[in-house]
Amino acid sequence: MTPPLFVTSDETLLDELLRLAAAAGTTPEVAEAGTALRSWTAAPLVLVGADAAEETARLGPHRRAGVHVVSWGPVPHELFRTALALGAESVTELPRSDTWLTETLTDLGDDAPARSLVVGVVGGSGGAGATTFACALGQVAARTGHAVVVDCDPLGPGVDRVLGLESHDGFRWDALCQTTGRLSGRALREALPRRGRLGVVSWYSGAAGSLQAFAVREALSAARRGHDVVVVDLPRSTSPLVEEVVARCDLVVVVVQPTVAGVASTVRLVPRLGTGPQLRLVVRGPGLDPRAVARATGVPVLAEMSDQRGLAEAIDLGLGPVRSPRGRLGRAATDVLAQVSVMGRAA
């Protein structure tokens, strides 16, 4: 990544800018006004110190986005005229704006996809296999890009355990709930337990703690910036936090067993998922006709799949639910992701 450009000779200001850059995990290029034009166009962000703004403006640099004038302490009125001549987007005062500047520098490290996708998965009834299917979606998505499975069900088996990642080092919810400030998408991706291009956000083994709203918001935002596909394993219980997570999904898949009890439970669940995201069903196992299930729930069926032999063995071996893309789970997950991509492009 091309580094951001800091243009200043003010040592106090430069020390502060370097501190913020270090906190954001980026290393800038530092130049004086006379040498700034060499990297002016290529840098993703240009911060011009108040001490160098007038001289830099006289050099007539190319007009571009992402230029900001930074002052240490109160901003003198004449600096706004200089910033206008320089083509700057803003005049920023430190230390008052250090949070905004750290977030801006943090975002530079995110090589986020142009259109990432967030898919929520929830069981229409207990034992429907929602966690297993969420992990299958993550495994299949990771074949073509960066994917992450986010465990928002504290009473579930744990997506890291289902995927065989429970012994891998990395941040879990326990650590994420202790962090403050903005997370870089790339930093989160690199910090999570992962295998290849698939990462997980889950709990340490043992009793799971409660989710903190600020941590969930920041983790989902960073996950979306750092991954092509984000799969969220949702609990069947409803709360304001779960409702907020559902609202952040592009699609919510309800895994339903086509039995009288399974459909009855799904009928009760569907209204609680709201009207924000698109809802679709994945019908798992034998039983009622999928068309009858769709009529009863009022939700279209996106995919059908029969039970997969050897599923428990594959999970116990730490291989995850998808041993082969040609297996029943692999094919169903592939079909769902393909149809979701089409739905996303149409939207």
Side-chain angles (χ1 to χ4, degrees):
M1 183 190 71
T2 305
L5 175 64
F6 294 174
V7 185
T8 182
S9 298
D10 185 330
E11 292 186 2
T12 301
L13 176 61
L14 180 59
D15 286 345
E16 180 66 8
L17 291 176
L18 291 176
R19 183 185 69 81
L20 298 179
T26 187
T27 303
E29 177 183 350
V30 180
E32 297 182 351
T35 58
L37 297 190
R38 290 181 299 189
S39 303
W40 185 270
T41 303
L45 176 75
V46 178
L47 301 180
V48 182
D51 62 296
E54 186 173 349
E55 183 179 353
T56 304
R58 284 199 300 267
L59 296 174
H62 177 74
R63 292 297 179 110
R64 49 153 295 169
V67 176
H68 303 272
V69 175
V70 185
S71 171
W72 179 258
V75 178
H77 292 296
E78 59 271 15
L79 188 59
F80 289 97
R81 291 193 296 269
T82 304
L84 184 63
L86 190 60
E89 295 181 5
S90 69
V91 177
T92 301
E93 177 185 331
L94 293 179
R96 188 190 327 194
S97 300
D98 58 355
T99 299
W100 170 83
L101 192 49
T102 301
E103 292 177 354
T104 301
L105 290 166
T106 299
D107 286 345
L108 296 179
D110 292 345
D111 50 350
R115 179 69 174 93
S116 59
L117 183 72
V118 180
V119 182
V121 182
V122 63
S125 62
T131 298
T132 299
F133 192 67
C135 292
L137 287 173
Q139 282 185 286
V140 171
R143 296 178 183 273
T144 57
H146 290 291
V148 61
V149 183
V150 181
D151 192 346
C152 286
D153 186 358
L155 299 181
V159 297
D160 56 346
R161 185 171 298 278
V162 174
L163 288 166
L165 295 172
E166 69 273 18
S167 62
H168 286 53
D169 292 332
F171 272 33
R172 265 79 171 177
W173 279 123
D174 312 64
L176 291 173
C177 287
Q178 302 299 319
T179 61
T180 59
R182 189 177 179 87
L183 284 171
S184 159
R186 182 182 62 179
L188 177 69
R189 187 176 69 226
E190 295 175 351
L192 295 177
R194 63 187 315 101
R195 180 187 296 122
R197 290 183 291 193
L198 177 61
V200 295
V201 181
S202 190
W203 283 271
Y204 292 106
S205 60
S210 59
L211 289 175
Q212 303 296 323
F214 74 90
V216 174
R217 294 187 192 107
E218 191 54 47
L220 286 179
S221 177
R224 189 163 200 165
R225 295 195 304 272
H227 297 81
D228 298 278
V229 176
V230 179
V231 184
V232 185
D233 184 24
L234 295 164
R236 296 191 68 251
S237 60
T238 57
S239 67
L241 178 56
V242 172
E243 292 173 0
E244 180 179 336
V245 173
V246 168
R248 290 172 180 264
C249 295
D250 299 299
L251 173 79
V252 173
V253 173
V254 183
V255 182
V256 55
Q257 293 176 302
T259 62
V260 172
V263 173
S265 181
T266 303
V267 168
R268 291 186 172 185
L269 174 71
V270 164
R272 298 191 175 195
L273 297 175
T275 58
Q278 298 188 71
L279 296 180
R280 293 293 187 272
L281 299 182
V282 169
V283 179
R284 171 182 171 263
L288 301 173
D289 188 295
R291 290 172 295 184
V293 176
R295 287 195 300 270
T297 60
V299 180
V301 173
L302 190 60
E304 306 169 37
M305 62 178 175
S306 54
D307 292 331
Q308 178 169 295
R309 289 177 295 179
L311 176 61
E313 179 186 9
I315 293 175
D316 288 345
L317 290 173
L319 303 174
V322 178
R323 299 182 69 169
S324 167
R326 294 185 297 273
R328 294 167 181 173
L329 259 177
R331 291 199 305 270
T334 299
D335 290 344
V336 167
L337 289 172
Q339 294 183 62
V340 169
S341 297
V342 171
M343 293 163 60
R345 289 195 296 271

